[in-house]
Amino acid sequence: MQKLALFRLHLIVFLWGFTAILGKLIQANAQILVFYRMLFAAIFLFVFIRIYKKESIKVSKKIFFQLAGIGFAMALHWYCFFYSIKVSNVSIALSCLSLSTLFASILEPIIFKRKIDVSEVVMGAVIVACILLIFKTEFHFKEGIIYGVLCAVFGTVFSVFNGKMFGKTSSGNIIFYEIFCGWFILMLFYVGTGHIFEMNEINYRDLALICLLASVFTAFPMLESVKLMKYISPFTLILTVNLEPVYGIVLAFFIFGDSEEMSPIFYIASGVMILAIIVNGLLKSRKIKKQKTFN
């Protein structure tokens, strides 16, 4: 069962890594892409939870508004991610995601009221240095890097506050309301600004790809990741998810070729960032084991 769980875990991380590939293949802009991705994903989740599983989706008003706020952060995270891809490339957007670890090391202690881990701060400094190096060598992608950093910020806000919601209602309800509310807030914004009519500017090919993105690469892996928590530790989940940029960058290089080819410094800096995250994870695991031994 453990080996099967690990295989499923790497499968969903691979699927998450492939979302960047689809983001580049889809011709529609980031606004339209995120709008339909969240709409279709919410529909798939509703059908699965309410019709297939026949489970209740009732939540209290307090939980609903909390999930709505987190869902809005998710929408901004996805928008910045796909916009970064559109104005630069997959490699830039995915490498910037590594900054999430730095932002989490700052935000988590505040939200969960724990001491700041010095090793996390050191690792964060290493990651920032690598991002600055990438920014210097790939300055022509500066807009993509800026939105990639914003993507990491909103992604961290989403992940940290999402961690506080588990246990307050079912995991399926949490994911459904976050995605649905994120879409609903986007819709209200587009209606208010008059951009809602731009949502019609999409072809059938893009709709089909977004449908695939929303189901196989969004709804399924999110539900699957929750199920896997029964068999694997949160540490294993987090450590494996850090491979998402690796999968995505390698896939992008082989699929898109020259447009994804970066300077040697970019690959060195990206490798150092990923290695720093993995080493930090291993050190944390060893620290936790020692604490359990003494206790």
Side-chain angles (χ1 to χ4, degrees), residues 16 31 85 88 109 116 152 215 230 232 256 272 281-282:
W16 278 330
Q31 285 181 317
I85 291 171
S88 56
I116 292 177
S215 55
K230 297 177 183 177
I232 60 175
F256 300 114
V272 169
L282 293 173

Side-chain angles (χ1 to χ4, degrees), residues 6-280:
L6 286 172
F7 171 78
R8 287 161 58 192
L9 175 59
H10 279 276
L11 174 63
I12 63 173
V13 172
F14 175 82
L15 294 177
W16 278 330
F18 204 83
T19 59
I21 306 299
L22 286 173
K24 188 164 183 175
L25 289 172
I26 294 168
Q27 297 170 354
N29 64 38
Q31 285 181 317
I32 295 173
L33 196 164
V34 175
F35 180 84
Y36 283 109
R37 179 191 190 183
M38 298 192 88
L39 172 60
F40 292 159
I43 293 171
F44 288 132
L45 287 167
F46 179 83
V47 170
F48 178 79
I49 297 167
R50 194 72 188 95
I51 299 175
Y52 179 73
K53 300 284 286 186
K54 293 182 170 57
E55 295 176 354
S56 172
I57 58 170
K58 289 183 179 180
V59 295
S60 67
K61 287 184 179 179
K62 181 181 178 181
I63 291 176
F64 174 82
F65 285 112
Q66 288 174 337
L67 293 174
I70 297 170
F72 183 53
M74 177 195 285
L76 291 174
H77 164 67
W78 281 347
Y79 171 77
C80 290
F81 178 67
F82 288 115
Y83 188 83
S84 176
I85 291 171
K86 298 294 182 183
V87 298
S88 56
N89 58 30
V90 172
S91 299
I92 289 292
L94 286 173
S95 64
C96 289
L97 276 180
S98 299
L99 278 170
S100 297
T101 308
L102 167 64
F103 298 135
S105 71
I106 299 170
L107 188 59
E108 269 191 20
I110 297 172
I111 301 302
F112 290 96
K113 297 178 181 179
R114 66 170 176 83
K115 291 182 179 180
I116 292 177
D117 192 322
V118 177
S119 66
E120 289 180 346
V121 176
V122 172
M123 179 192 59
V126 171
I127 292 173
V128 169
C130 291
I131 288 293
L132 290 174
L133 188 61
I134 290 173
F135 190 83
K136 185 177 180 181
T137 55
E138 307 292 344
F139 190 72
H140 54 293
F141 288 136
K142 62 180 180 180
E143 189 178 7
I145 294 173
I146 291 170
Y147 274 90
V149 172
L150 289 173
C151 166
V153 171
F154 291 123
T156 303
V157 171
F158 159 70
S159 299
V160 172
F161 282 97
N162 199 43
K164 295 204 73 172
M165 296 306 299
F166 280 97
K168 294 185 178 181
T169 183
S170 70
S171 300
N173 282 354
I174 290 173
I175 296 169
F176 167 70
Y177 278 111
E178 285 173 349
I179 292 180
F180 172 75
C181 290
W183 168 80
F184 189 72
I185 292 170
L186 284 181
M187 186 193 68
L188 291 178
F189 175 76
Y190 292 152
V191 169
T193 56
H195 290 294
I196 191 66
F197 300 106
E198 295 176 11
M199 298 304 111
N200 292 324
E201 298 174 7
I202 186 169
N203 56 50
Y204 289 114
R205 172 186 174 276
D206 279 354
L207 276 175
L209 287 175
I210 294 174
C211 189
L212 182 68
L213 174 64
S215 55
V216 178
F217 297 92
T218 304
F220 168 71
M222 291 186 87
L223 287 170
E224 187 72 359
S225 65
V226 173
K227 292 179 185 177
L228 287 174
M229 294 304 290
K230 297 177 183 177
Y231 308 105
I232 60 175
S233 66
F235 165 74
T236 303
L237 176 65
I238 294 169
L239 193 63
T240 309
V241 167
N242 287 324
L243 291 173
E244 179 186 346
V246 178
Y247 288 140
I249 290 172
V250 171
L251 283 169
F253 181 79
F254 283 106
I255 293 173
F256 300 114
D258 293 341
S259 66
E260 289 294 328
E261 191 170 344
M262 310 294 288
S263 66
I265 292 177
F266 168 84
Y267 293 111
I268 293 170
S270 297
V272 169
M273 285 192 294
I274 294 167
L275 182 62
I277 293 170
I278 293 173
V279 169
N280 181 68

